[in-house]
Amino acid sequence: MLKNALLLFLFVGTSLCKPLHKRWDDLKVKHAWVDGVPKGWEVVGPAPSEERLAVRIGLKQDGIDDLISHLYAVSDPNHDRYGQHLTKAQVDALSAPHPDSTGLVEDWLSHYDLLHSPECQMTRSSSGDWISLSIPIGQLERMLGTKYYVYKHSATETTLIRTISYSLPTILHDHVTVLTPSTYFSLPKPQRQTSFIEKVGDYAFGALNEAVDIVTNGGVEDSSLPVSPTCDHQITPSCINALYNVSYTPVSTSNNSLGVVGYLNQFASHSDLQKFLTGYKPDAINGDFTVVQVANGGNNQSNPGLEANLDIQYSLSLSYPTPNIYYSVGGSPPYTPDDNTRSNTNEPYLSFIDYILSQTSIPQTITTSYGDDEQTVPPDYAQDVCNGFMKLGVMGSSVLFSSGDNAVGGGDCLSNDGTNSVKFLPIFPATCPYVTTVGGTNGTNPEQAVYFSGGGFSNYFGRPSYQSQPVQNFLTALGQTYSGLYNSSGRAYPDVAAQGLNFQVITGGNIYSVGGTSASSPTFAALVSLLNDARLAAKLPPLGFLNPWLYSQGVKGLNDIVGGSNPGCETPGFQAVKGWDPVTGLGTPNFGLLKDLAVKPTTAGGSAKKRDFSEMGIPRGGW
């Protein structure tokens, strides 16, 4: 009898154990939009159940907190490990998921016969924190307890296959950070004001010199001369050089590069660049950039994009002869409702991060002029993207983003949190605490904030320690003004600023005057690239993640902007004031001062012991 009872107990225990720990039908919501279909999107119809989606599953990284600690250690000029950036192998080791996470996700996929299916084309990232595979939509719907539809964006007519909510088995919630494509509806937009695009004239030397009344020396721009009064309404490379005290020729071009990231079928034109250099930077004639196509990104030279040309013409002309790389990232449009081909998932930031983190070497400086309202990005997605930029920083790359062109908020400024209340709307990825965000200015005497310069406070990310005091100083002076319209404890942006209006750009043989923080970010990034060149020439590592340095030592090399504001949401917006402000950040660059600060030996004030990386099972190393 006792034997039979024991056998019965073991049988019941075993049968209960499996569903207790592996209940794949015990679903819990991972993310859902409160107001249903996001604003600006409409349902076209059900997604075809047999079509396959390229799915990414993000696994929780077991050492992510250690990785963040490393980032601040190697980025703080007062720390004894300043500049000791990690190698790809070290970052991969700290990015790896816990074996339990890997095992559970594999068990889940095996339950649906996906783990070893050749049709799934499963791959893993080098650290194992991402699993990518192809899954039929009908099967994915059963796994996630949801329904996918084809959605169309009313303004752009872009179509996506998405869902407004998805669930995961309860047991996976602590192991999976995000699954895509799911609830990410955001379309990254160039941070370029369309209202400030004005055709100046056809490209020709005569038309060029007539259209752009610049200070010249024998028909060639002379950057050694003072700032021309015409720079108040026409910005050219010589204006930037004169205004920001730039007089430096790169010498570390064999081990320094500048990356420019573009999305949405924006292609940079080689021929337009040559015309631009002929008129505005003749000593750089025949300078060129390389193109890297990511996630089926294109390179249609017969259809150049104004955004792409703006970025590359100023990044290259200001950093020449530093090698420039244009990353053309695919993802728009991903789906045509009347075909049955495999759709592109249109997760542009993740596509770029996946690619760049798989490379053995990365540019020391990377600039991106795209973004969208933070509230349109699922928080879990935003966190994983932000962590990807953090990894670039800990490996020694300075990552810069435009702050946006909607001032404190665009459109009706209505929140999508269910309250439908008026609030300031911050921009992502500008709000990520691991990137350097660049706001906009205009004018030269004095230089002041341009009124569309995006700035404010994140609703997703808390304020990082490196900016605590400068931001608190601003908030103390602001008092109760705009109380309730912004998150006073959020990551504050922008960090710095640069000119953002009246940039002369050549596209398709025409000269355009262009405005937007799309111009500010590549401009500031080009000067950061020059700083990295100077450091490399001095046998120092590149700056890497800039913000801890900018908010401590680098601020001494910035021009404080104290005029202008960024009105929006039916308010006057924030005012540019002495010290940091959410319009121009810490200010605009004085390159000569920044260079002296960047190559000056640092006296480490940190007391932490240097970590022995052998405990991680990988060798020490870095730049």
Side-chain angles (χ1 to χ4, degrees):
M1 178 68 70
L2 180 61
K3 180 179 180 181
N4 290 339
L6 181 59
L7 289 173
L8 178 62
F9 173 79
L10 290 174
F11 173 77
V12 173
T14 302
S15 64
L16 290 175
C17 180
K18 184 173 182 179
L20 178 64
H21 294 289
K22 300 282 181 70
R23 279 285 306 278
W24 305 127
D25 60 345
D26 177 23
L27 299 177
K28 177 182 175 183
V29 174
K30 181 68 173 174
H31 182 254
W33 290 116
V34 175
D35 292 334
V37 180
K39 188 185 304 182
W41 294 88
E42 59 185 26
V43 176
V44 175
S49 61
E50 298 305 314
E51 181 167 343
R52 289 179 171 270
L53 284 184
V55 176
R56 290 189 181 96
I57 303 170
L59 279 64
K60 183 178 180 180
Q61 299 158 63
D62 196 37
I64 193 68
D65 291 337
D66 284 342
L67 197 53
I68 294 171
S69 296
H70 280 294
L71 173 75
Y72 284 113
V74 303
S75 306
D76 181 357
N78 294 315
H79 198 284
D80 60 0
R81 284 187 51 218
Y82 180 60
Q84 297 179 28
H85 302 118
L86 304 192
T87 64
K88 179 181 183 300
Q90 291 164 350
V91 170
D92 282 349
L94 289 168
S95 300
H98 191 280
D100 288 351
S101 299
T102 302
L104 280 171
V105 171
E106 288 182 349
D107 286 349
W108 179 49
L109 297 176
S110 293
H111 178 76
Y112 289 97
D113 298 322
L114 297 173
L115 188 63
H116 301 294
S117 171
E119 292 85 4
C120 290
Q121 305 171 12
M122 191 176 80
T123 60
R124 302 175 192 265
S125 62
S126 56
S127 61
D129 60 329
W130 285 97
I131 294 177
S132 301
L133 70 167
S134 171
I135 303 178
I137 291 175
Q139 178 119 325
L140 188 60
E141 291 173 335
R142 292 188 292 274
M143 296 170 66
L144 305 180
T146 190
K147 183 69 178 175
Y148 278 81
Y149 291 89
V150 177
Y151 294 88
K152 183 172 70 173
H153 190 252
S154 55
T156 64
E157 297 193 350
T158 297
T159 53
L160 299 173
I161 293 178
R162 291 293 187 272
T163 180
I164 59 171
S165 69
Y166 76 102
S167 301
L168 288 174
T170 301
I171 196 174
L172 292 183
H173 273 248
D174 291 336
H175 301 274
V176 173
T177 57
V178 65
L179 183 146
T180 68
S182 54
T183 55
Y184 176 79
F185 281 80
S186 180
L187 291 176
K189 298 186 290 287
Q191 302 305 302
R192 181 197 69 229
Q193 279 278 7
T194 55
S195 59
F196 297 131
I197 299 174
E198 178 184 0
K199 184 177 178 181
V200 177
D202 297 329
Y203 177 86
F205 284 115
L208 178 66
N209 292 330
E210 179 182 355
V212 185
D213 181 19
I214 57 175
V215 175
T216 62
N217 179 16
V220 176
E221 286 193 286
D222 185 353
S223 61
S224 67
L225 295 175
V227 182
S228 166
T230 59
C231 293
D232 281 326
H233 56 269
Q234 291 175 328
I235 291 293
T236 65
S238 68
C239 290
I240 297 297
N241 288 335
L243 181 62
Y244 295 145
N245 187 26
V246 183
S247 179
Y248 179 81
T249 301
V251 295
S252 305
T253 56
S254 62
N255 57 347
N256 187 39
S257 62
L258 171 56
V260 177
V261 186
Y263 300 101
L264 308 179
N265 292 326
Q266 281 280 333
F267 312 127
S269 167
H270 297 279
S271 60
D272 281 337
L273 174 64
Q274 288 307 309
K275 295 174 182 176
F276 180 88
L277 295 176
T278 299
Y280 296 118
K281 185 72 172 176
D283 60 318
I285 289 177
N286 297 323
D288 206 353
F289 59 95
T290 58
V291 177
V292 174
Q293 295 167 257
V294 179
N296 299 313
N299 185 25
N300 185 353
Q301 289 295 299
S302 64
N303 184 31
L306 187 60
E307 173 63 40
N309 277 356
L310 164 65
D311 292 349
I312 205 70
Q313 287 173 13
Y314 280 86
S315 69
L316 189 144
S317 63
L318 294 172
S319 66
Y320 181 81
T322 302
N324 276 229
I325 306 166
Y326 184 79
Y327 295 95
S328 176
V329 185
S332 176
Y335 177 74
T336 303
D338 61 356
D339 69 24
N340 195 35
T341 59
R342 176 174 167 177
S343 67
N344 187 316
T345 58
N346 193 14
E347 307 282 5
Y349 298 129
L350 284 180
S351 294
F352 173 71
I353 290 170
D354 284 352
Y355 170 81
I356 201 70
L357 288 176
S358 70
Q359 304 304 298
T360 55
S361 63
I362 58 176
Q364 287 77 7
T365 312
I366 298 173
T367 177
T368 309
S369 294
Y370 292 75
D372 205 352
D373 290 346
E374 185 184 64
Q375 68 171 2
T376 68
V377 183
D380 51 3
Y381 180 94
Q383 185 63 67
D384 269 28
V385 167
C386 192
N387 285 345
F389 295 133
M390 179 266 294
K391 295 176 188 179
L392 293 175
V394 81
M395 289 196 295
S397 184
S398 302
V399 181
L400 295 90
F401 269 86
S402 298
S403 72
D405 296 342
N406 290 330
V408 294
D412 54 19
C413 294
L414 293 179
S415 67
N416 64 356
D417 58 4
T419 65
N420 208 37
S421 56
V422 173
K423 291 185 177 180
F424 293 166
L425 300 180
I427 296 293
F428 179 81
T431 55
C432 172
Y434 308 129
V435 305
T436 300
T437 305
V438 188
T441 61
N442 72 300
T444 61
N445 189 26
E447 186 176 15
Q448 61 183 6
V450 69
Y451 67 85
F452 55 75
S453 180
F457 302 81
S458 173
N459 291 314
Y460 286 2
F461 304 100
R463 186 183 311 145
S465 59
Y466 59 74
Q467 62 174 190
S468 291
Q469 194 58 55
V471 174
Q472 188 55 53
N473 291 343
F474 175 84
L475 292 175
T476 299
L478 185 66
Q480 294 301 306
T481 304
Y482 304 143
S483 178
L485 291 179
Y486 69 96
N487 174 25
S488 61
S489 64
R491 186 283 205 252
Y493 76 102
D495 302 297
V496 291
Q499 288 283 309
L501 193 60
N502 301 320
F503 276 62
Q504 305 304 291
V505 180
I506 295 178
T507 296
N510 298 316
I511 306 170
Y512 293 87
S513 190
V514 181
T517 56
S518 275
S520 308
S521 186
T523 295
F524 203 101
L527 304 195
V528 172
S529 184
L530 296 182
L531 295 177
N532 279 330
D533 184 281
R535 282 181 61 86
L536 292 169
K539 308 301 181 184
L540 296 170
L543 288 165
F545 177 43
L546 291 169
N547 294 1
W549 178 74
L550 286 171
Y551 281 85
S552 56
Q553 297 182 2
V555 66
K556 301 170 187 175
L558 298 172
N559 309 308
D560 193 7
I561 305 301
V562 295
S565 62
N566 57 354
C569 301
E570 298 186 353
T571 76
F574 295 114
Q575 182 74 33
V577 297
K578 184 177 180 180
W580 180 90
D581 57 70
V583 194
T584 62
L586 298 169
T588 60
N590 181 323
F591 179 80
L593 294 179
L594 286 172
K595 182 171 72 69
D596 291 343
L597 292 166
V599 300
K600 179 181 178 180
T602 59
T603 301
S607 59
K609 294 181 179 179
K610 294 184 179 180
R611 183 170 183 178
D612 180 5
F613 288 96
S614 62
E615 68 191 55
M616 295 161 51
I618 52 178
R620 287 196 65 144
W623 290 98

